[in-house]
Amino acid sequence: MTTTTTWDEKSQQFHGGQDWAGLANFVEDFSVTTNGLGTPKDALAAARQAVDLCDHYPPANQEPAKSSLAEFLWPTTWRENHGRLLLGNGASEVIDLVVRQAPAGKWKPGPFAVQYKEYERSALANGRELLPATDDAPAAIACIVNPCNPTGDYQPLAAMKEWIETNVQDGGYAIIDESMQPWHSENFRADSLVSQSAYVADLHARRGISVFVIHSWTKLWSCTGIRLGSIVCPTDAHCQALKKIQVPWSVNCVALAFLDRVVRDADYLAETWRVTPAWRQQTVAALRERFPGWRCYGEPFLSWVWVDIGDAQVAERAVGLARAAGVPVRSGLPGYQKPTFVRIAARQPEKLAVLLKAWQPLASE
């Protein structure tokens, strides 16, 4: 089910999260993968205070927010890595920047059945030929979303390095989207390419392959409305090249104030790592009990469940029933072309109960 009033399907890549505002009985948005805890209160307060500064330009160097994020990503080595980091107006901006900057040649996605479509959209918009994920040929630019949204597949660090070396041609670009990777655990950095500065430098020296790591921070900290993303480049020089083609002041004062505050909220992250796996497991268990024919996919730490209902008509009915009850879910049909699938966010048990009640009529289908 698509929403025609907010999305131009002829010229824009479909994205979820468009239904909630049109629902008079809205309860919870299960269609997006944002943090079920909601927006961190201290960071939200900082963002509201920053509105009072809207009569001034935001800092062109993105400081102090950029340094704060650098320290979050590299707690002990952030100063030497600072020059490789660039903030953007959501991940979408930095995705487009790096795809435009990449060497000429073919584009290919990660090995999963489907993945977040913004990379493909940007490649097509820039006139690139697309290779299917099943093609063994290396590409000039290869993009993988890890963990994969929506399928929930995850490549540990060793497997990710192997994928890069196999699927990117010498002199090419590897773009790794780790937007959902910080949900992994409090030790997420150890399994992230952000921690692999020496490997990234060696790969660039050895084969000329440039590794970029992108984050959309709006999911982890539930702030999709303010647009906040970042990219870690292989070298300072790569970062400077992107900065030259970036629109000035693309990250506004509200987003910068939010980021500067939110990276210091350790309690929020600790609670995220505690409750998200529990809420997700409750969701999976409830679906398996009520709908034994449905199949649930994804890693236990993720903020959503990718569900194969097995029947396109039943899946369409599930989407409609959820929307009618004020708890929209993400259909797998628009964008992903997976008509038997739905994606369900991990949410509080009381919100999940509303969704499950809406789906009671499906138990006999």
Side-chain angles (χ1 to χ4, degrees):
M1 179 179 295
T2 61
T3 303
T4 57
T5 56
T6 59
W7 208 258
D8 183 351
E9 297 178 14
K10 294 181 180 179
S11 58
Q12 294 178 309
Q13 173 60 52
F14 181 83
H15 196 289
Q18 301 297 301
D19 288 338
W20 69 274
L23 302 179
N25 62 338
F26 177 70
V27 176
E28 179 62 82
D29 194 351
F30 283 82
S31 75
V32 292
T33 57
T34 51
N35 196 321
L37 290 174
T39 311
K41 291 182 174 56
D42 287 349
L44 185 58
R48 286 177 172 143
Q49 292 171 5
V51 174
D52 292 337
L53 302 176
C54 68
D55 58 335
H56 299 284
Y57 283 103
N61 64 359
Q62 305 176 334
E63 295 293 356
K66 187 167 79 168
S67 289
S68 297
L69 179 60
E71 191 169 1
F72 174 80
L73 292 172
W74 303 284
T76 61
T77 61
W78 68 271
R79 287 182 176 83
E80 49 262 51
N81 287 302
H82 178 275
R84 299 166 52 211
L85 179 65
L86 184 68
L87 306 183
N89 186 263
S92 296
E93 184 193 18
V94 293
I95 289 169
D96 197 60
L97 287 175
V98 70
V99 171
R100 285 162 52 198
Q101 190 72 20
K106 298 178 181 180
W107 173 95
K108 73 182 298 185
F112 313 124
V114 288
Q115 68 178 23
Y116 179 56
K117 301 290 284 187
E118 187 63 21
Y119 293 90
E120 181 178 323
R121 182 212 63 78
S122 185
L124 288 170
N126 284 279
R128 293 185 181 273
E129 181 181 345
L130 307 186
L131 291 175
T134 53
D135 196 314
D136 292 334
I141 175 171
C143 305
I144 181 171
V145 180
N146 191 53
C148 181
N149 192 354
T151 68
D153 291 291
Y154 183 61
Q155 296 267 34
L157 193 54
M160 177 56 64
K161 291 179 179 180
E162 182 179 354
W163 184 87
I164 292 171
E165 302 231 17
T166 302
N167 289 278
V168 185
Q169 66 188 37
D170 289 358
Y173 275 23
I175 304 177
I176 317 302
D177 188 318
E178 291 193 354
S179 296
M180 313 309 292
Q181 202 274 340
W183 258 283
H184 181 280
S185 68
E186 62 180 336
N187 298 315
F188 73 91
R189 297 172 186 85
D191 205 42
S192 166
L193 275 167
V194 169
S195 70
Q196 300 297 300
S197 300
Y199 167 76
V200 169
D202 174 71
L203 184 61
H204 188 257
R206 203 166 23 92
R207 295 183 52 191
I209 294 176
S210 302
V211 176
F212 297 82
V213 182
I214 288 177
H215 290 92
S216 169
W217 296 110
T218 60
K219 309 300 190 303
L220 180 64
W221 289 312
S222 193
C223 60
T224 53
I226 65 172
R227 316 307 306 133
L228 188 60
S230 67
I231 185 167
V232 177
C233 302
T235 67
D236 291 17
H238 284 83
C239 195
Q240 289 293 325
L242 293 185
K243 194 182 297 184
K244 286 181 179 179
I245 62 173
Q246 184 180 36
V247 175
W249 305 296
S250 67
V251 187
N252 62 50
C253 62
V254 172
L256 291 172
F258 182 94
L259 178 61
D260 188 50
R261 182 71 60 85
V262 79
V263 294
R264 309 176 199 282
D265 196 338
D267 291 342
Y268 181 88
L269 285 181
E271 186 69 358
T272 296
W273 294 320
R274 187 184 72 83
V275 303
T276 304
W279 290 347
R280 188 186 188 279
Q281 179 53 37
Q282 290 174 4
T283 303
V284 171
L287 292 177
R288 286 174 175 168
E289 178 185 356
R290 291 163 175 78
F291 312 104
W294 296 12
R295 296 290 178 263
C296 299
Y297 298 93
E299 293 291 316
F301 63 82
L302 293 174
S303 63
W304 76 92
V305 186
W306 182 233
V307 183
D308 186 1
I309 291 176
D311 184 296
Q313 291 184 338
V314 177
E316 183 179 7
R317 182 158 157 73
V319 172
L321 288 171
R323 190 176 189 277
V327 283
V329 300
R330 173 69 154 91
S331 169
L333 177 58
Y336 296 127
Q337 302 304 308
K338 293 291 182 180
T340 68
F341 282 81
V342 296
R343 190 187 65 195
I344 307 168
R347 294 292 186 255
Q348 298 95 328
E350 60 269 23
K351 303 293 181 62
L352 175 62
V354 179
L355 177 62
L356 294 173
K357 182 178 179 180
W359 280 351
Q360 282 180 353
L362 302 176
S364 59
E365 296 186 13

